[in-house]
Every structure is written in C-alpha cells, then in structure tokens.
Amino acid sequence: MRFSALRLLTEGLTGNRGWGPHWRDPAPKSEYDIVIIGGGGHGLSTAYYLAKEHGLRNVAVLEKGYLGGGNVGRNTTIVRANYFLPGNSEFYSHSLKLWEGLEDELNYNVMHSQRGLINLFHSDGQRDAFARRGNAMINQGDDAVLLDRAGVRKHLPYLDFDNTRFPIYGGLLHPRGGTARHDAVAWGYARGADRRGVDLIQNCEVTGIDISGGRVTGVQTTRGAIRAKKVGIVVAGRSGQVAAMAGMRLPVESHVLQAFVTEGLKPCIDHVVSFGMGHFYISQSDKGGLVFGGDLDFYASYAARGNLPMKEHVMEAAMTLMPMIGKARVLRSWGGIMDMTPDGSPIIDKTGIDGLYIDCGWCYGGFKAVPGSGFSFAHLIAQDRHHAPAAKFRLDRFRTGVGLMDEEGTGAQHNLH
Amino acid sequence: MRLPCPICGERDLREFSYLGDAVRLHRPAPDAGTDAWDAYLHLRDNPAGRTRDLWQHEAGCGAWIVVTRDTVSHAVEGAQLAAEMRDAD
Ligand SMILES: Cc1cc2nc3c(=O)[nH]c(=O)nc-3n(C[C@H](O)[C@H](O)[C@H](O)COP(=O)(O)OP(=O)(O)OC[C@H]3O[C@@H](n4cnc5c(N)ncnc54)[C@H](O)[C@@H]3O)c2cc1C
Ligand SMILES: [Zn+2]
C-alpha cells in the first residue's frame, strides 16, 4: 500500500474502508540472522536500514510492549543539529540530513516541520558562547544565525524581554531545526522494515541473552527461545537491565524526564523556543497544544512519571519567559525513562561479546537521532566496523578518559547532565 | 517524594540535592587500577526496584544521607547518615 494524495482523497470519499494494517503481526521464528531488542525509534530504524542498506532481511525486532510505546512516543519531538563537539556534531548533522529526506524515503507523513529553533541568551558571556556554537554548526555544514534582541523580538514578540533576572539579549536561530510527529516516525520505520521482510514481534520481552564461548547465540523471551547470529540491544531507559543479561554493567543511570501539553490553542508559537537559563523549552503541536518541558527530575527512576517540584519549576519558567502562557490550561503531563551517560553523549558500539552490539545512552536527546542512530547502528552490526559519523560513540571512553563528549562542559560525571 | 532525614525528619524533596548511587561511599585506593576506578566513577547497576542513593540535605541540616527507595514506585523505605553507613559497611 502506497500513500499518496490521490489515495487519501479516494479513501476519504469512500468511507476509509480500504486501509489495512501497516505491518504484519508474525509469530517469532526459532532463528534469525539478527535480533534487535527494543521496538522504539532506534530499534525500528536500525531494522529498517539493515534491510534497506545492507540487504539483511532475516531480522526480527523484539518489543516487550507495543511498537512506539516507549520514549519514542513520549518525547517533545525536537529535531535539530546544533551540537558543538566533534563526534556529536557530525553525527547529528548526518541525522538531520536523513530527516530531511525521510518522508520520501518512507512514503510516510512524519510531519517533519523545520520551523526554526531559537536558543535564547541573557548575557554578553552567553552571547559569545552562542556565537562560537553557531560557528561550529556552520563549520559542520549546518545553519545558524545569531540574532540580536530586535531580531528575536521580530520572531517572538510575546516573550518578556525585560525580565529582571534574565533579560533577553538575543538568540541563536537554527533555521533547519524543528519538530516531527513522534509516533509517525516509529510507524513509518516499522512499516518500511516490515515491507522489507523484517519480523516485528510485539509483546515479546527478552528475559535472557545466550552466550557461549564469548559469542552470542540467541535470546530467551516470554515467547520462547530465539537463536541469532547477532544481537543488538537498543532499549533506551532499560539498557542497564538488558545489558545485565549479558553480564555487563553500563555507564548508564536511568532518570525521569517530564513533559507537558496544554489544551489545543490557535497557532501562537511558530518556532521551537529554548530558554536554557530556566531549563525550559516549548513548541506548538499541529493539533494546537503547547508542548513544553524542562530538566530531569534528577534522581534515578523507572517510574515514567515525575514529582511535583519539577512541574512547579517548569511552570514558573514558562511564566517567566512568556507570561501569556498563564491563560492556557495544562491538559496532561507524563514522564519517560532516560538512559543517562556520565558525559551526556550516546554509545553505539560493540561489546566484549562477539556478535553483541549496543546502542544506548541517548539521554534526553535521542528522538532527533532516530534516523542517524539506526543508520549507524545497522552499519556497525552489518559490517562489524563503525560508521564514520558515529565512530566516536565508544563504550570505553569513560574507562580510558579519551574522547569524552561533554557538551555542557560540566564534567563527565553521573548527576551532572 | 518526601525523604526522611535522620536528623530533621521527613522533608520535601526540594530540600535535597542528589549525587547518585551509594557506590560513591566506597572510593577505591589511588592505585586500585583502572577497572576499580571505572566501576566507582561510571558503571552502575542501575536497578529497577530497590536502590540506595546519596542525597544531601542541602537546604536543611546539610547532612549527607543514604536513602533506600524503590526506583519504580518512588516508595521510600528509609534513610541513614552516610557517615554511619560507610563505617558500618
Ligand atoms: C519527556 C521527554 C521529552 C523528550 N524530548 C526530546 C526531544 O525534544 N528531542 C529529542 O531528540 N529527544 C527527546 N527525548 C528523548 C527521546 O525520546 C529518547 O532518547 C529516544 O526516544 C530513545 O530511543 P528509543 O526511541 O529507541 O526509545 P524507546 O521508545 O524507549 O524504545 C525502547 C524500547 O525497548 C523496549 N524494551 C525494553 N526492555 C525490553 C526487553 N527486555 N525486551 C524487549 N523490549 C524491551 C521498550 O518497551 C521500548 O519500546 C525526550 C524524552 C522524553 C521522555
Ligand atoms: Zn536534615
């Protein structure tokens, strides 16, 4: 089934009776060449690119719940390539290029909207830091424009520019930054992988990883044992538990990050706005809800819901930045489980076990990485060597201290990112 | 979440700042080797369930405490002064 404007119109006029399921619901086979653990954004994109780029179709994705039920369906959907450090810079740049061709690639409307992202600054020192970041982005081949106060006011007239504590001095505009529809990204990759022969197996929790003589041989699941020549772990917040099945301890601590959405409003916020000093960011969804969030709750958690102090903090920051938001009513809030690394950057690497690979540590920024991570992880699994844009995401960088990627410059230590 | 400070009693989460897994109480010897230091600084059990982590009652008495709690339900079992716990271990 191909999607097209004509197809939509025809279906619309004939009661939408012609749509079928977007993917099969196969029973697990007893053996695959490659098993991917985790049916989130990264697992699904990995499976898609294994089939598409490497011709590997005897692949299964094992998901303990339903496809897209994890963080990929819980995030605030910001897509950007405004990183500073080598390693992150080239990776997110590559990922954004994949985003830009994604809807054609998948024949799926992922509602990628490059509405522009503005990071605000509030002092001369911060302006210097943002100018430097902008230059790094331009050197990487991406786009950045340094806006002064008047420039920001033109785009975002509704902000409180004269806040006493954080007067707005300007902002760094990343025109190609924006948002996408999170579920659609998961569904689009799922459909694309399924159509290329990948088995997507839901309600199938991996409970053990079989290793013999230093080589992975398969997995144990709630739907029986499955043999595999290669296994990829891509389970985001659950990375610690699944890695433990292979006897590994990871440099990862799982934390809760909350987000909020208001009732649907008429269009009023055209960009993605980030107020770093208040740990606050916001955009408006296509349905009209204001989608916003803040920082981690800052304690280890698997609860997928947060506590009140962070909610209060986020509301205060919202009121500080844009007093008009006080009239909107919050509809709901939720949390996701974030796989935090000590330096705040991800891991895409081999493990000490032959045939076992890991992709994790996306912290609170892995949605924008869904295409790039899948592409690079598929490359690593298929060819047993790193894909250039992701070659610096090494698992042993903490142990050796070489190649740490601490974007915030706070130190490579748990609890600082 | 409210945390029971052994000195001040049960207090609001906002009064505490978080350091992380109580593994931090067991600093290896300077020459313990890379593996020991890597385990101390970076590697974590990261349990889904019962955990013990270090908090400081920063806006209260200032004590460092070890809280035993559940990372899935956010239920708090209890807390001890970090100094006492380290000496007992
Ligand atoms: C509130 C919030 C806001 C965010 N905002 C942004 C943002 O604006 N921009 C951005 O780039 N990123 C953002 N993120 C981060 C982003 O959502 C994550 O980094 C990313 O989705 C993680 O990768 P994933 O999609 O593969 O994870 P998930 O969707 O969580 O996928 C992991 C899957 O593994 C499955 N699994 C776990 N254990 C097992 C097992 N034993 N067996 C089988 N399956 C298993 C899970 O059920 C889950 O479906 C945000 C996250 C949150 C929570
Ligand atoms: Zn106290």
Side-chain angles (χ1 to χ4, degrees):
Chain A
M1 175 179 45
R2 258 196 78 76
F3 293 110
S4 65
L6 180 66
R7 183 77 205 275
L8 273 178
L9 187 70
T10 323
E11 287 294 340
L13 293 174
T14 55
N16 284 308
R17 279 186 295 268
W19 303 117
H22 289 195
W23 51 80
R24 298 166 296 133
D25 185 20
K29 291 193 268 183
S30 62
E31 178 161 10
Y32 291 92
D33 289 341
I34 301 172
V35 158
I36 300 296
I37 309 175
H42 294 234
L44 294 167
S45 63
T46 301
Y48 173 82
Y49 290 116
L50 279 170
K52 160 95 192 312
E53 298 295 322
H54 305 280
L56 299 167
R57 288 152 191 263
N58 188 18
V59 174
V61 176
L62 310 182
E63 165 55 49
K64 74 170 178 180
Y66 61 94
L67 296 182
N71 291 324
V72 73
R74 291 170 169 266
N75 65 82
T76 45
T77 79
I78 298 168
V79 174
R80 57 187 167 93
N82 60 351
Y83 283 74
F84 179 66
L85 297 176
N88 283 330
S89 196
E90 61 264 33
F91 173 81
Y92 288 103
S93 182
H94 177 246
S95 195
L96 184 56
K97 290 188 190 96
L98 292 174
W99 273 106
E100 287 169 337
L102 200 56
E103 298 182 340
D104 286 338
E105 168 86 30
L106 298 176
N107 175 233
Y108 212 85
N109 183 7
V110 302
M111 298 164 81
H112 184 211
S113 153
Q114 294 181 292
R115 56 186 67 181
L117 160 71
I118 298 178
N119 286 92
L120 300 168
F121 54 81
H122 314 271
S123 67
D124 292 330
Q126 243 197 324
R127 180 192 290 113
D128 289 349
F130 276 45
R132 185 165 174 235
R133 178 174 293 266
N135 287 335
M137 290 158 66
I138 291 167
N139 285 341
Q140 180 57 47
D142 295 315
D143 60 343
V145 184
L146 197 67
L147 302 175
D148 60 9
R149 189 177 156 91
V152 173
R153 203 187 278 276
K154 237 176 76 191
H155 289 286
L156 315 173
Y158 49 80
L159 300 184
D160 178 3
F161 281 78
D162 300 313
N163 180 275
T164 323
R165 180 64 184 87
F166 296 116
I168 294 170
Y169 277 40
L172 185 65
L173 168 66
H174 173 33
R176 284 163 66 224
T179 60
R181 169 71 207 231
H182 48 17
D183 302 313
V185 177
W187 299 335
Y189 273 118
R191 171 171 167 270
D194 175 83
R195 280 154 56 114
R196 285 173 174 76
V198 172
D199 281 358
L200 307 176
I201 299 162
Q202 307 185 57
N203 298 314
C204 180
E205 178 171 355
V206 171
T207 53
I209 296 179
D210 300 330
I211 296 160
S212 141
R215 226 206 124 70
V216 75
T217 56
V219 294
Q220 300 293 324
T221 80
T222 47
R223 295 177 71 176
I226 301 174
R227 286 191 304 280
K229 299 190 184 74
K230 292 181 174 181
V231 173
I233 302 174
V234 212
V235 291
R238 291 282 169 177
S239 296
Q241 272 90 60
V242 177
M245 296 173 195
M248 294 164 64
R249 281 176 92 216
L250 295 177
V252 170
E253 206 173 71
S254 294
H255 281 248
V256 54
L257 178 70
Q258 306 195 55
F260 309 84
V261 66
T262 69
E263 60 193 329
L265 302 169
K266 288 189 175 166
C268 57
I269 296 180
D270 302 327
H271 307 73
V272 181
V273 184
S274 148
F275 171 37
M277 296 313 289
H279 300 288
F280 173 81
Y281 62 95
I282 188 164
S283 68
Q284 188 166 19
S285 80
D286 292 310
K287 272 197 290 192
L290 304 182
V291 180
F292 57 97
D295 218 330
L296 296 174
D297 269 34
F298 274 116
Y299 46 83
S301 170
Y302 285 87
R305 67 184 153 72
N307 266 288
L308 292 170
M310 186 49 71
K311 288 188 174 58
E312 182 178 36
H313 172 91
V314 169
M315 300 306 156
E316 283 170 359
M319 288 301 291
T320 301
L321 183 68
M322 43 178 79
M324 72 169 184
I325 202 174
K327 290 187 179 168
R329 277 168 298 200
V330 174
L331 210 57
R332 64 200 148 82
S333 72
W334 64 94
I337 310 169
M338 316 283 53
D339 36 338
M340 302 300 298
T341 58
D343 66 354
S345 291
I347 293 161
I348 300 183
D349 208 347
K350 302 175 189 179
T351 63
I353 296 150
D354 285 340
L356 184 67
Y357 307 82
I358 189 151
D359 177 316
C360 69
W362 293 96
C363 302
Y364 30 71
F367 178 65
K368 70 182 96 67
V370 164
S373 161
F375 199 96
S376 294
F377 196 40
H379 185 282
L380 177 68
I381 294 173
Q383 306 201 6
D384 256 313
R385 50 194 183 85
H386 289 269
H387 181 231
K392 296 200 170 72
F393 294 161
R394 297 303 173 98
L395 179 57
D396 70 355
R397 66 179 184 272
F398 306 101
R399 186 176 189 282
T400 61
V402 178
L404 293 166
M405 282 164 285
D406 170 14
E407 286 280 330
E408 294 169 358
T410 48
Q413 186 178 308
H414 286 294
N415 89 316
L416 293 183
H417 293 273
Chain B
M1 203 152 76
R2 289 169 70 78
L3 300 180
C5 174
I7 295 174
C8 313
E10 202 179 80
R11 291 301 182 93
D12 189 289
L13 181 63
R14 274 169 291 200
E15 295 185 11
F16 297 85
S17 63
Y18 181 72
L19 185 63
D21 196 302
V23 68
R24 297 249 190 152
L25 285 176
H26 305 284
R27 192 180 174 88
D31 58 357
T34 311
D35 287 343
W37 277 95
D38 188 33
Y40 169 71
L41 289 169
H42 309 123
L43 304 182
R44 294 293 177 259
D45 290 339
N46 198 17
R50 199 162 191 255
T51 195
R52 294 195 316 177
D53 41 26
L54 271 163
W55 302 71
Q56 188 187 15
H57 194 190
E58 207 176 15
C61 63
W64 278 97
I65 63 174
V66 176
V67 177
T68 305
R69 62 183 185 96
D70 190 306
T71 57
V72 178
S73 67
H74 287 170
V76 178
E77 238 177 77
Q80 267 177 277
L81 289 176
E84 283 171 11
M85 181 150 240
R86 187 192 47 209
D87 298 342
D89 273 358

